[in-house]
Amino acid sequence: MSEQALPDSVAPSAAPLWRRTLVYGVFAVFAVWCAMAFRKDIAQIDLRPLSEGWPLVLAAGALSLLNYALRVVRWQMYLRRLGHQLPWRFVSLTFMAGFAFTLSPGKLGEMVRARYYQPHGIPLAAVTGAFFIERLLDLVVMILLAVVVLAELQAYRQFLWVAVGLVGGLLASVAVVPWASVAEQGARRDAAGLVKLVAPVARMLASARTFLSPNILLAGLLLGLVAWGAEAVGLKLITDILSPDKLSVPGAMGIYAIAIIVGALSFLPGGLGSTEAVMAALLYAHGFSTPQAILLTLICRVLTLWLAVLIGWVCVWLLRRE
């Protein structure tokens, strides 16, 4: 199938000015608050090690790119499971275009990519179902990575148990509840108001069941483990700039996973604030000074979150040109 240009009605529309102003205003206020609260520690940050450690920064950035590439492979696998053979370039651009909207609670803004697939006959429920399973498997991966150092992370064990309960409950719900029947009832004209309200979610969960076959589930999980494990190793490389011996690879995986889990459960846009606070606190607990922990956290988030947002907007721009 050849790639098709998207009509304007399908391309993601820009958010209203007041909403964008509010979002960026909140980010600005948060940044100013952080700068004021940690001004003494920020003033002690030494950037000189970065001049010698830039190869490690580049290597960590490359691992983030590997993360994106493996997740594109997984997304293509899901689309083929739905019976759609789309060009790799189109799938890559549309998947990563969702990163532009990752600064949304639970990364739900990434579902904007569904609009790119409607001209190809892929219904919204199918895309949202794949997105649901993707997010769920990512949470499973973070739990597995965090378990590696569970004994060292007693203070955050409750977050891990909440995540385990959430994943277990959602997977059981998708597997057991007859969501297809609920969706059919919601489509009837005489359906009750609550049933009609739940119908879109039911269609999404019914579609999500498509990806619960053992081979698809296992393949998605393994790809996620390698993808997110790569970003966790990137954190280890970043810490090696300051001290190669303070943090092990399993330790880096645990810190990264717990920080992401807390950020996800906070339901803040992109986990901003909560993820950084937990990551910096755990790095401090592993022997780094507060200024060092802040610096390492900022570098890690630039190479993971903000790099993804930048790539996302580039992909949005490329898709608008085609």
Side-chain angles (χ1 to χ4, degrees):
M1 178 184 293
S2 59
E3 298 179 19
Q4 302 176 8
L6 290 172
D8 293 338
S9 60
V10 177
S13 57
L17 178 61
W18 68 267
R19 186 180 299 174
R20 283 179 288 165
T21 303
L22 177 62
V23 171
Y24 290 118
V26 170
F27 290 162
V29 170
F30 175 73
V32 171
W33 178 84
C34 288
M36 294 296 294
F38 297 97
R39 59 186 181 278
K40 292 182 179 179
D41 295 312
I42 293 174
Q44 297 176 29
I45 291 178
D46 185 5
L47 298 178
R48 286 176 297 179
L50 294 181
S51 61
E52 299 178 357
W54 62 265
L56 291 176
V57 174
L58 291 178
L63 289 174
S64 291
L65 296 178
L66 175 62
N67 171 284
Y68 309 151
L70 290 174
R71 290 162 64 194
V72 167
V73 171
R74 184 173 62 179
W75 188 251
Q76 176 73 292
M77 179 180 69
Y78 289 162
L79 292 177
R80 290 182 176 177
R81 176 69 174 179
L82 293 170
H84 298 276
Q85 298 280 348
L86 297 175
W88 277 100
R89 183 174 184 276
F90 177 74
V91 172
S92 300
L93 288 176
T94 52
F95 179 81
M96 291 189 292
F99 294 166
F101 306 92
T102 198
L103 293 177
S104 56
K107 298 186 178 181
L108 293 177
E110 290 189 17
M111 284 199 293
V112 73
R113 67 171 68 105
R115 296 190 177 189
Y116 292 116
Y117 298 112
Q118 289 176 356
H120 296 273
I122 306 178
L124 176 63
V127 178
T128 55
F131 176 83
F132 176 83
I133 290 297
E134 181 200 24
R135 290 271 71 86
L136 204 58
L137 284 182
D138 286 344
L139 189 53
V140 172
V141 166
M142 292 304 168
I143 292 171
L144 294 175
L145 293 178
V147 165
V148 175
V149 288
L150 183 59
E152 301 178 22
L153 304 173
Q154 296 292 331
Y156 297 93
R157 178 173 289 186
Q158 65 272 24
F159 291 102
L160 192 60
W161 284 117
V162 170
V164 170
L166 181 63
V167 168
L170 289 174
L171 281 175
S173 171
V174 173
V176 175
V177 177
W179 292 111
S181 299
V182 176
E184 289 178 4
Q185 293 178 16
R188 295 169 52 184
R189 292 184 178 180
D190 59 344
L194 180 60
V195 176
K196 286 186 176 181
L197 188 64
V198 174
V201 176
R203 285 192 291 271
M204 177 190 73
L205 295 176
S207 176
R209 185 176 294 184
T210 306
F211 308 102
L212 291 187
S213 63
N215 57 333
I216 295 294
L217 203 59
L218 181 60
L221 182 62
L222 290 177
L223 285 169
L225 270 172
V226 178
W228 292 108
E231 283 201 349
V233 172
L235 174 61
K236 160 64 176 171
L237 294 179
I238 294 169
T239 61
D240 284 352
I241 296 173
L242 300 182
S243 179
D245 303 321
K246 282 186 178 179
L247 191 63
S248 64
V249 171
M253 289 183 174
I255 290 175
Y256 186 78
I258 287 292
I260 296 298
I261 288 173
V262 174
L265 295 180
S266 72
F267 219 66
L268 292 170
L272 283 176
S274 54
T275 299
E276 288 81 1
V278 172
M279 187 177 293
L282 290 174
L283 287 170
Y284 177 80
H286 278 74
F288 293 95
S289 66
T290 300
Q292 288 177 331
I294 292 174
L295 175 62
L296 294 173
T297 298
L298 291 177
I299 296 173
C300 180
R301 292 294 270 170
V302 166
L303 294 178
T304 54
L305 174 65
W306 295 106
L307 177 61
V309 172
L310 175 62
I311 291 175
W313 282 113
V314 170
C315 291
V316 169
W317 179 76
L318 289 173
L319 287 166
R320 283 185 178 275
R321 286 175 58 89
E322 294 183 0

